[in-house]
Amino acid sequence: MTIILTGGVGKAEVADAVERLAPAGVEVVVCNDMDAATRLRAGRADYFLGTCQTGAGASLGVLVGLMGSAVCHTFGRSVPSEDEVNALLDQGKKVFGFAVDQIHAVTPKLAGAIAART
């Protein structure tokens, strides 16, 4: 089972978007940033999808500080291609940030790519 945590201002909407996709082998959990960092560091979760108004700062601020920038990536307001998402996952990125107004464009790409790896 792959566990995706959601956080930030759009955490419920991201969780709903992942659940609507119903990816097999994926569980989604809504949480706050501190809980997410604790779960990721302990190996009790696999990925974090965070949102803020711009996708550039607050979506990952706590996670970058506690997890390190090597496993974090923010898309800001952009919508990544599937190839970009897969390349980031190949690099070991586990924590992703994006703008709250891009939830419906970014979440399916991230959740689909993560589910394909389960």
Side-chain angles (χ1 to χ4, degrees), residues 7-8 33 48-52 55-63 74 95-99:
D33 292 359
F48 176 81
L49 309 182
T51 53
C52 70
S59 63
L60 299 182
V62 171
L63 278 296
T74 182
V95 177
F96 297 94
F98 47 97

Side-chain angles (χ1 to χ4, degrees), residues 59-77:
S59 63
L60 299 182
V62 171
L63 278 296
V64 170
L66 296 175
M67 299 291 297
S69 61
V71 298
C72 299
H73 180 83
T74 182
F75 297 109
R77 298 190 82 88

Side-chain angles (χ1 to χ4, degrees), residues 18-108:
V18 173
E19 289 173 347
R20 278 194 304 273
L21 296 169
V26 173
E27 177 183 347
V28 63
V29 177
V30 176
C31 66
N32 63 50
D33 292 359
M34 288 300 295
D35 187 34
T38 301
R39 288 179 187 216
L40 288 164
R41 290 179 76 161
R44 292 185 286 124
D46 302 290
Y47 297 95
F48 176 81
L49 309 182
T51 53
C52 70
Q53 295 304 320
T54 64
S59 63
L60 299 182
V62 171
L63 278 296
V64 170
L66 296 175
M67 299 291 297
S69 61
V71 298
C72 299
H73 180 83
T74 182
F75 297 109
R77 298 190 82 88
S78 68
V79 177
S81 69
E82 290 180 22
D83 288 343
E84 183 180 2
V85 170
N86 281 312
L88 292 166
L89 291 171
D90 288 345
Q91 294 169 19
K93 304 291 186 192
K94 296 176 175 275
V95 177
F96 297 94
F98 47 97
V100 70
D101 63 351
Q102 299 298 335
I103 288 173
H104 297 291
V106 176
T107 303

